[in-house]
Amino acid sequence: MNGAVSRVLPVLAVLGAIVVLWYAGSVALNARLTLVTAERQGVELTLAQVVADTMVQDRPRLPAPHQVAVALWDGIVGEPPLSKRSLVYHGLMTLQSTATGFLMGVLVGILLAVGVVYSRVMDLSVMPWAVISQTIPIVALAPMIVVLSNSLGLGEAVGVENRLVSKTLIAAYLSFFPVLVGMVTGLRSPDAMQTDLLRTYSATGAQAFWTLRLPASVPYLFASLKVAVAAALVGAIVGELPTGAVEGLGARMLVASQFGQPLLMWASLFASAILAGGLILAVGGIERVALRRMGARE
Amino acid sequence: MAGGIAVMPDVRVATDAVIDARGVSLTFATADGPVHALKDVDLSIGRGEFVSFIGPSGCGKTTFLRCVAALETPTAGVLRVNGMDPDAARRARAYGYVFQAAGLYPWRTIARNIALPLEIMGFPKAEQDARVARVLKLVELEAFGGKFPWQLSGGMQQRASIARALAFDADILLMDEPFGALDEIVRDRLNEEVLALWGRTGKTILFVTHSIPEAVYLSTKIVVMSPRPGRITDVIDSPLPRERPLDIRDSREFLEIAHRVREGLRAGHAYEV
């Protein structure tokens, strides 16, 4: 009990500080509009009135936390979940390509890592290009992926919308890299003594892989998966921006910024943060179960 | 020469030799020139012997063990294990190897760790279970089969690794400083247990150590080695009986052998650092 309190307290303290700063920021940034409006109407405002007005504007520069909370609440429970105005609907759209892209990226990352560990040629050729691939700004690359997957008709080929394909590819593109790096380290983690031990049993390379290298890499894999799942979400959202902005949290943010709806923008932003947190918690939960079954210390 | 200690000046050419080394040399090429890890090693070990290899770091004792295990290949000479070349002997499951660290897989229970060689060698599941149960009993870890390695002390982990080496019934046990990382008290206890195990199973044991008392206490034969180049300086056949209570280490015979080992190490310049 005491342990839980001492862990939660610092988090709450930081959260409290952020909220306080945020309110201060809202007042400071929104006060100008309040004052300009009041002057135009020829009204004199007290300080309290100014502060109160900064928190109820329709199009504030920086919405107050409670305004965002209300917008978020309305977006999540105020609409039927499958309505196009519901953040749940758009969250699900984003989650779909995040999850598909994440799984693809994990698969590609693991396969490449196995290749890199077992083939010197792949070690020399794949790793540098994998590193270079991650230095290209994704916002620059995303539109090209969209255009290419559209003109190649990748979507029709697998029976889904083209828009979905490009989002998924971008999510996979961002998530394969941490998995690759983590798995290469993990597959190489067994020391000489452990590989010697298997040699004394005349174990084959495949047996060494399944009994030693793969299980030894699992803790490294999970560390990478948490990074990869967050990267996949970023990829999916970025992928939604240049796709004509129809569905998904990224599309919601784009619409909101184009049509001057800061409350919606902030609500979508928080919805994606909540989604990211949920995904990382889910991966963490799977990790705990898996590692416990593999005898990890509590 | 002290009484009661047989001198072995020449290499015994026994027909029942389990290990037979003639002029075995191993030279590593390094950036600083060749390193003679082993030079002209002649040694014959009979069935059921307990042979300790003692000497300072770099004397080649571990290298010799690794050659027997076919983890290294001699660059010259002939080495026979059970009458075969070491590679063939390994494929015939001639030996079990115990390393300095227990090296148990942390993600496997003790029982599943011991079953590892059996899985790799393709024993049927029922036989795996029977063998694991048998060797767990042999090292007195019956109650710990379901535990994970971190739940056991260092000494117990090393016992589990010995059980793992025994699981597939190899005739030879190669032990590379198996108790080097354990404290003196645990080490004494495990020395007794290894002796008891040797008595019960009749295995041939090759045992690498840094410790003179350990070598003298355990062995029927002590091979003293020295470095640069790694070579044998003395081979001592121990007159101690096979039954050895711990307090045999205070007997005159014991101290005489220990003295001769020390002399052998000194003659090989082992004490010049």
Side-chain angles (χ1 to χ4, degrees):
Chain A
M1 188 62 213
N2 210 357
V5 169
S6 65
R7 247 177 309 162
V8 169
L9 213 59
V11 177
L12 288 181
V14 171
L15 188 66
I18 290 174
V19 170
V20 168
L21 280 175
W22 189 352
Y23 271 113
S26 298
V27 172
L29 285 168
N30 301 337
R32 200 166 145 245
L33 181 66
T34 301
L35 294 175
V36 167
T37 312
E39 196 180 285
R40 201 175 292 146
Q41 294 167 345
V43 189
E44 281 283 320
L45 293 175
T46 64
L47 181 62
Q49 282 171 316
V50 172
V51 169
D53 185 74
T54 58
M55 294 182 196
V56 295
Q57 297 175 358
D58 280 340
R59 293 184 177 187
R61 287 193 180 169
L62 179 63
H66 68 268
Q67 287 181 292
V68 175
V70 168
L72 191 60
W73 182 258
D74 287 345
I76 291 172
V77 299
E79 304 280 344
L82 295 182
S83 138
K84 297 231 166 184
R85 294 166 58 86
S86 163
L87 285 174
V88 175
Y89 170 78
H90 292 283
L92 284 175
M93 288 300 117
T94 302
L95 178 63
Q96 186 187 13
S97 35
T98 302
T100 320
F102 172 67
L103 292 178
M104 274 172 60
V106 169
L107 192 68
V108 169
I110 290 176
L111 290 179
L112 282 178
V114 171
V116 163
V117 168
Y118 279 92
S119 152
R120 188 166 157 70
V121 174
M122 280 190 74
D123 188 15
L124 293 175
S125 59
V126 171
M127 279 316 272
W129 286 106
V131 174
I132 289 167
S133 78
Q134 302 301 304
T135 62
I136 302 168
I138 192 65
V139 274
L141 197 65
M144 291 183 236
I145 294 180
V146 172
V147 169
L148 279 177
S149 64
N150 277 354
S151 54
L152 290 174
L154 289 180
E156 282 102 60
V158 291
V160 294
E161 282 181 74
N162 280 323
R163 240 190 336 258
L164 203 61
V165 172
S166 48
K167 277 160 64 174
T168 306
L169 283 181
I170 294 163
Y173 180 87
L174 284 191
S175 57
F176 92 94
F177 185 69
V179 176
L180 171 62
V181 173
M183 278 302 280
V184 166
T185 312
L187 290 171
R188 283 182 177 156
S189 65
D191 59 25
M193 200 203 75
Q194 286 177 311
T195 48
D196 277 348
L197 179 70
L198 287 177
R199 279 176 66 199
T200 70
Y201 305 147
S202 309
T204 63
Q207 285 173 327
F209 177 78
W210 292 108
T211 62
L212 176 60
R213 290 192 187 277
L214 194 63
S217 71
V218 169
Y220 296 84
L221 174 65
F222 276 110
S224 306
L225 288 185
K226 285 186 210 160
V227 181
V229 79
L233 181 66
V234 170
I237 289 174
V238 170
E240 283 163 354
L241 296 181
T243 51
V246 181
E247 286 168 340
L249 293 175
R252 261 343 235 174
M253 285 180 222
L254 191 65
V255 168
S257 79
Q258 282 168 346
F259 294 92
Q261 295 173 286
L263 288 177
L264 177 59
M265 209 171 92
W266 282 86
S268 308
L269 188 72
F270 271 83
S272 49
I274 291 167
L275 187 56
L279 286 169
I280 289 171
L281 280 179
V283 172
I286 296 169
E287 177 184 30
R288 263 196 307 282
V289 173
L291 293 186
R292 193 172 302 158
R293 291 188 65 174
M294 289 177 71
R297 239 173 262 234
E298 294 298 307
Chain B
M1 198 51 59
I5 298 170
V7 187
M8 290 283 295
D10 58 343
V11 174
R12 188 171 58 177
V13 187
T15 46
D16 66 341
V18 172
I19 311 280
D20 194 15
R22 309 283 177 89
V24 168
S25 299
L26 176 56
T27 307
F28 293 111
T30 70
D32 302 329
V35 172
H36 299 282
L38 285 176
K39 190 152 176 60
D40 291 329
V41 170
D42 293 319
L43 186 68
S44 181
I45 297 171
R47 192 163 303 285
E49 282 197 87
F50 196 127
V51 183
S52 285
F53 295 80
I54 188 163
S57 303
C59 73
K61 52 195 194 302
T62 293
T63 308
F64 183 74
L65 214 63
R66 290 175 64 83
C67 286
V68 172
L71 293 172
E72 307 282 357
T73 309
T75 43
V78 179
L79 179 60
R80 293 270 170 205
V81 179
N82 278 345
M84 293 174 267
D85 77 83
D87 238 357
R90 174 167 80 195
R91 283 194 299 276
R93 300 173 198 163
Y95 69 84
Y97 203 112
V98 179
F99 290 86
Q100 183 164 13
L104 301 169
Y105 290 180
W107 56 86
R108 284 178 174 238
T109 60
I110 297 302
R112 295 250 302 125
N113 263 292
I114 294 171
L116 176 70
L118 305 174
E119 278 173 31
I120 287 170
M121 293 168 184
F123 284 82
K125 187 77 185 75
E127 196 183 340
Q128 285 184 22
D129 294 344
R131 281 168 177 267
V132 168
R134 182 168 58 79
V135 292
L136 274 176
K137 197 163 183 319
L138 210 57
V139 297
E140 290 165 29
L141 286 177
E142 298 101 311
F144 296 91
K147 299 272 189 234
F148 282 100
W150 64 267
Q151 295 169 299
L152 270 63
S153 68
M156 287 163 99
Q157 290 188 24
Q158 198 52 283
R159 261 157 51 197
S161 95
I162 293 171
R164 181 178 59 188
L166 293 170
F168 48 95
D169 279 335
D171 295 335
I172 307 169
L173 202 51
L174 306 176
M175 306 179 85
D176 184 6
E177 293 185 47
F179 310 136
L182 303 175
D183 68 64
E184 193 82 20
I185 298 161
V186 176
R187 194 172 177 146
D188 277 354
R189 171 98 204 283
L190 287 175
N191 281 344
E192 274 189 292
E193 286 181 11
V194 165
L195 266 189
L197 197 74
W198 173 64
R200 261 176 290 165
T201 57
K203 308 250 182 227
T204 309
I205 298 183
L206 277 65
F207 192 99
V208 167
T209 181
H210 271 120
S211 154
I212 296 175
E214 189 172 65
V216 178
Y217 178 64
L218 292 173
S219 322
T220 58
K221 184 186 280 204
I222 301 157
V223 177
V224 184
M225 299 184 75
S226 70
R228 289 176 294 275
R231 65 196 188 279
I232 295 178
T233 50
D234 197 5
V235 177
I236 305 165
D237 273 325
S238 170
L240 297 177
R242 282 179 81 101
E243 289 288 327
R244 300 176 184 183
L246 267 181
D247 56 19
I248 203 169
R249 293 184 295 187
D250 301 322
S251 72
R252 215 183 117 237
E253 278 178 323
F254 187 96
L255 296 174
E256 279 169 358
I257 307 167
H259 177 74
R260 183 166 157 198
V261 172
R262 205 168 285 115
E263 287 300 310
L265 290 172
R266 203 186 311 277
H269 308 287
Y271 292 110
E272 293 166 19
V273 182

